[in-house]
Amino acid sequence: MPISGTTGRRTTALAVAAAAALFGTMALPATAEAHGRGHDKPKYEDLQLLAINDLHGNLEPPAGSSGTINEIDATTGKPVATPAGGVEYLATALRQAREGHRNSITVAAGDLVGASPLMSGLFHDEPTIEALNKIGLDVTSVGNHEFDEGSAELKRMQNGGCHPVDGCYEEGREFDGADFPYLAANVTSEKTGRPILKPYWVKNVHGVKVGFIGVTLEGTPNIVTAAGVQGLKFGNEVATINKYTAELKRQGVNSVVALIHEGGLPASNIYNYDCGAGGSGISGPIVDIAKRLDPAVGAIVTGHTHTAYACMIPDPNGVPRSVTSAASFGRLYTEIDLKLDKRTGSIVRPSVTAANHVVRRDVAKAPDMTALIDHYRALAAPIANRPVGWISADINGRGSSALEKPLGDVIADAQLAGLSAADKGGAQVAFMNPGGIRADLVYKSTGSEGDGVVTYGEAFAVQPFTNMMQVKTLTGAQLVQLLQQQVSGSNDAAPKILQPSANLAYTLDLNKAGAARVLVDSIRLNGAPVDPNAKYRVAANEFLAGGGDGFPAFAAGTDKLVGASDLDLFNSYLTGHSSAGTPLAAPATTRIKVIGVGQDNG
């Protein structure tokens, strides 16, 4: 029955008061009481946010599984892999999305550069910064990969200037740096205690100030080389954002958006997954972070996990709040639409909607992006197009969901082959970290090289860090500890399974817990059990050998010998173990026998 008269108005007023108590500083939707008698009706300003994350310098359309997005076919109702990505299409998509919007801000959540394909990586990611300037990026947080070459190089990305070693790449042309601010609220100098870059950025949207706070994951030092984070401290994400949210509010900035380079693991890999009621369909670090951030933060843009979601996760008051991620490599962008209350300066939280959109390749290419790509392609061509090997079919790395990846095995074999000689380190076994495999080797030609030909540029996309290799001495007991640390310690909840060379085999039982998941009695090196008292020479890249990714057993190794780069060994192996007549085939992934529900590959 409709409510009328004074009783109805009183009930409405009580409901508004109760909602105000629940939502805190958030502005409420317009109601008869909130409007008063008409003369004080609040005015709202619409704001569109367009968000990307984890571009990783992918200017050209990514190849293989890195260049597709899963969506539901409207006819069959089944998932299909749709080609997506490439800055020529991303620029078009973002520009079209802005049309008709009085207020639009383009944001990002880190890892825009680093681990990049050759076109960007060869030039220390200057091409990607130039592309983002042209696309109209307004602000981004830093990610862990922004520290791959250290904080000085990150500041060069921000401020411009020629590379300190390689110099300027074209005579008379100096790199100008980013037109947008990099935000690093939780990255401070050990000497000064102050953030190394701006902690936040404020945009005045027709009278309403909107603040953006940018952080990277607190665990960045665990996944970046020690040299990359030397002299830096990485603070807690929640404490940092809440601190600067309070600071912004003291300055009269009541609309806050968090840009966080940390993410979640959604239950579905469909690009527009909504995570279910209350965010029940997503796990991972971002869930706890989102639930503890100040309710004044109106929206949370995330990254790092390369997954796609548009969730509503409750804030500390239990009120749903938008938390989004746009996968990686420029294959998606997120559109977040919201209203700003011009009376309070706050984001009207119930107004916030978010959706991911596929960067499809059936639209017109942006001419300025095409010109930029053509320019750097010509500069890189003499190196990028050189054949280094041949394959008989796809060899998946990044695109493999298995714990043991075919391309991971190839990389480990390449490292052992290149470092086994006595004068190269005398390596007896080699390991590759799965996160360092950045692409697949794809059989189908992406240029004029021909099917099955692996070019230097394609190999570079797989191993873009150019980490120097190390060989260390570990005892047999330490070697066992190394394998156990894949599934224990900091890797207990999210195992990091090392990719072993062909001469090592063991069983991993996922039905067990912690270190017990590695069945010690099953470990065989060259067919023999590992002697806990013997000494073994173990090869790995400098990141892994330094204890990165949660492997302190590596850091404890002795008698370090520094060898060639991982990329050089990979290229040498491809050249030496394949030809046009006898291409390299994907190895059988039988080195690790995995048992457990739905995981048995033995």
Side-chain angles (χ1 to χ4, degrees), residues 71-164:
E71 59 181 329
I72 299 296
D73 184 271
T75 303
T76 66
K78 296 180 179 180
V80 293
T82 300
V87 295
E88 293 163 296
Y89 306 107
L90 177 62
T92 295
L94 293 177
R95 289 164 182 169
Q96 289 178 346
R98 294 181 189 124
E99 292 176 1
H101 290 268
R102 167 173 151 127
N103 306 308
S104 184
I105 300 175
T106 302
V107 305
D111 274 11
L112 301 180
V113 299
S116 304
L118 186 74
M119 179 178 289
S120 186
L122 185 64
F123 305 103
H124 295 280
D125 282 313
E126 292 178 18
T128 296
I129 299 298
E130 292 179 21
L132 292 169
N133 286 343
K134 293 176 183 294
I135 282 175
L137 183 65
D138 291 298
V139 62
T140 184
S141 69
V142 294
N144 54 285
H145 280 285
E146 266 80 19
F147 294 92
D148 283 347
E149 296 188 49
S151 58
E153 177 66 1
L154 169 58
K155 291 179 180 178
R156 190 179 77 88
M157 291 292 99
Q158 179 71 87
N159 301 319
C162 298
H163 190 270

Side-chain angles (χ1 to χ4, degrees), residues 103-415:
N103 306 308
S104 184
I105 300 175
T106 302
V107 305
D111 274 11
L112 301 180
V113 299
S116 304
L118 186 74
M119 179 178 289
S120 186
L122 185 64
F123 305 103
H124 295 280
D125 282 313
E126 292 178 18
T128 296
I129 299 298
E130 292 179 21
L132 292 169
N133 286 343
K134 293 176 183 294
I135 282 175
L137 183 65
D138 291 298
V139 62
T140 184
S141 69
V142 294
N144 54 285
H145 280 285
E146 266 80 19
F147 294 92
D148 283 347
E149 296 188 49
S151 58
E153 177 66 1
L154 169 58
K155 291 179 180 178
R156 190 179 77 88
M157 291 292 99
Q158 179 71 87
N159 301 319
C162 298
H163 190 270
V165 176
D166 294 339
C168 292
Y169 297 109
E170 297 172 84
E171 187 175 353
R173 183 173 180 265
E174 184 171 302
F175 174 55
D176 291 332
D179 293 342
F180 50 89
Y182 265 110
L183 304 181
N186 68 329
V187 186
T188 57
S189 164
E190 289 182 346
K191 289 184 178 180
T192 67
R194 294 193 295 269
I196 63 168
L197 293 169
K198 293 178 180 179
Y200 54 78
W201 176 74
V202 178
K203 173 72 172 179
N204 191 315
V205 181
H206 289 95
V208 180
K209 296 178 180 179
V210 183
F212 296 84
I213 303 170
V215 300
T216 186
L217 69 155
E218 184 179 7
T220 292
N222 297 325
I223 53 176
V224 174
T225 59
V229 295
Q230 185 175 7
L232 304 177
K233 286 186 176 181
F234 292 78
N236 178 265
E237 303 95 335
V238 173
T240 301
I241 293 172
N242 286 348
K243 168 189 171 181
Y244 285 109
T245 296
E247 181 172 314
L248 285 169
K249 287 194 288 186
R250 288 194 296 271
Q251 297 174 15
V253 180
N254 294 323
S255 290
V256 179
V257 176
L259 309 176
I260 307 176
H261 190 70
E262 179 59 289
L265 302 171
S268 169
N269 64 357
I270 300 301
Y271 77 92
N272 54 359
Y273 181 55
D274 66 3
C275 303
S280 58
I282 186 171
S283 60
I286 199 61
V287 178
D288 180 65
I289 291 171
K291 288 181 177 180
R292 295 193 292 130
L293 286 183
D294 191 317
V297 176
I300 303 171
V301 178
T302 75
H304 187 56
T305 55
H306 290 205
T307 53
Y309 46 84
C311 304
M312 297 298 287
I313 298 176
D315 70 11
N317 290 335
V319 180
R321 175 166 49 192
S322 175
V323 181
T324 62
S325 174
S328 59
F329 306 149
R331 295 172 292 165
L332 297 176
Y333 71 91
T334 309
E335 181 177 9
I336 305 166
D337 293 301
L338 51 86
K339 292 183 181 297
L340 307 174
D341 189 322
K342 301 193 76 167
R343 297 179 311 162
T344 65
S346 300
I347 293 173
V348 182
R349 284 267 295 279
S351 74
V352 181
T353 61
N356 284 325
H357 301 285
V358 179
V359 177
R360 303 184 188 278
R361 299 180 190 169
D362 57 0
V363 298
K365 296 179 180 181
D368 56 341
M369 293 295 106
T370 300
L372 182 143
I373 287 173
D374 288 347
H375 176 76
Y376 280 104
R377 182 184 287 132
L379 291 178
I383 297 174
N385 296 334
R386 175 168 56 89
V388 296
W390 291 260
I391 56 176
S392 60
D394 290 355
I395 304 180
N396 288 330
R398 197 73 179 180
S400 171
S401 60
L403 296 180
E404 182 184 349
K405 306 175 190 305
L407 192 50
D409 287 352
V410 172
I411 293 170
D413 290 346
Q415 294 174 352

